[in-house]
Amino acid sequence: MPRYEYRCRSCGDTFELSRPMAESGAPASCPAGHEDTVKLLSTVAVGGSSSSPSPSSSSPAAGGGGCCGGGCCG
């Protein structure tokens, strides 16, 4: 179940709630009981590893530019 972050406008506290996506916009009370809360925009963290080619790698560096990788601009 997704977690959503909210901020209380009354006390300034931020808190998270786990709730179904269909209820993400529903009103949420802060832990102190205040009703005036706003859902915060959350960032997405994507896990994984990134491997960069080593300088001695024999693969060519990716060229780029424009919509087609630079092949039509030249």
Side-chain angles (χ1 to χ4, degrees):
M1 190 171 324
R3 294 184 63 82
Y4 297 96
E5 190 173 21
Y6 298 85
R7 183 175 42 96
C8 178
R9 291 180 179 164
S10 298
C11 66
D13 189 25
T14 57
F15 59 97
E16 292 183 347
L17 292 176
S18 293
R19 49 179 27 178
M21 290 176 74
E23 295 177 18
S24 69
S29 298
C30 86
H34 303 120
E35 299 292 326
D36 189 14
T37 61
V38 62
K39 182 174 169 255
L40 300 177
L41 212 58
S42 301
T43 58
V44 176
V46 179
S49 63
S50 171
S51 60
S52 301
S54 64
S56 63
S57 174
S58 62
S59 62
C67 61
C68 60
C72 62
C73 301

